[in-house]
Amino acid sequence: MLFLVFQLDQDRYAIEAAQVVSVLNLVNPKAIPQAPAAVAGAFDYRGEPVPLIDLCQLALGRPARALLSTRVIVVNYPAGDGANRKLGLIAEQVLETVRREAAEFAPAGVDAAQAPYLGPVAADAQGLIQWVRIEQLLPDSVRELLFQAAVESA
């Protein structure tokens, strides 16, 4: 399996590349007033408005830094109605891909109930890398906020 790797502070994380639609330069999103802190806003992706989540804000409680390696990862997100929707993820240090077999990942040994998107880990020469489960990234309340209009119009 191919994974796209990014960092949250010094720790490495990976998203399954099959879920990635595109990797873009950092965008200037339209703000969504009263949205949860991790919702950075929305942006236009090929004529379609796409919600944008700041992974640093979601996981670390701070906004992503505008580094040269900070990117928007557009993924296919299972919105809960049986369809996939595009979701933008702001991530720092998006610099590489790695190949790993699913069997190389093992439970992290810590129950992260507040972060169910954090999956198993694998080790390499640079240390541990943790698999981020896109389908578990958003709490139900945020998923409904971002995708309810799309469900209602379908």
Side-chain angles (χ1 to χ4, degrees):
M1 298 175 68
L2 185 65
F3 291 88
L4 179 63
V5 178
F6 64 93
Q7 287 187 210
L8 294 172
D9 285 341
Q10 299 305 312
D11 295 317
R12 295 182 309 142
Y13 297 85
I15 296 173
E16 191 177 341
Q19 294 176 295
V20 175
V21 174
S22 186
V23 178
L24 310 171
N25 288 330
L26 191 58
V27 298
N28 188 17
K30 184 232 176 282
I32 300 175
Q34 303 299 312
V39 178
F43 71 104
D44 179 78
Y45 178 71
R46 299 183 179 175
E48 176 184 352
V50 173
L52 188 60
I53 300 296
D54 184 332
L55 291 177
C56 289
Q57 188 70 51
L58 180 71
L60 305 175
R62 67 156 176 86
R65 298 172 297 221
L67 306 170
L68 290 176
S69 60
T70 301
R71 297 284 184 262
V72 172
I73 305 167
V74 180
V75 297
N76 283 318
Y77 179 80
D81 60 352
N84 284 331
R85 306 273 190 253
K86 295 209 176 20
L87 177 67
L89 307 173
I90 299 174
E92 295 178 350
Q93 300 291 319
V94 181
L95 297 172
E96 65 178 325
T97 58
V98 296
R99 287 199 182 276
R100 293 282 182 276
E101 295 300 322
E104 294 178 52
F105 287 85
V110 177
D111 180 20
Q114 294 297 96
Y117 53 88
L118 294 177
V121 296
D124 64 14
Q126 297 176 17
L128 292 178
I129 185 166
Q130 191 159 27
W131 189 341
V132 173
R133 305 291 183 143
I134 295 298
E135 64 278 3
Q136 295 177 2
L137 189 63
L138 302 178
D140 290 342
S141 60
V142 175
R143 185 180 69 244
E144 290 170 10
L145 171 73
L146 298 179
F147 299 113
Q148 188 61 38
V151 170
E152 290 173 355
S153 66

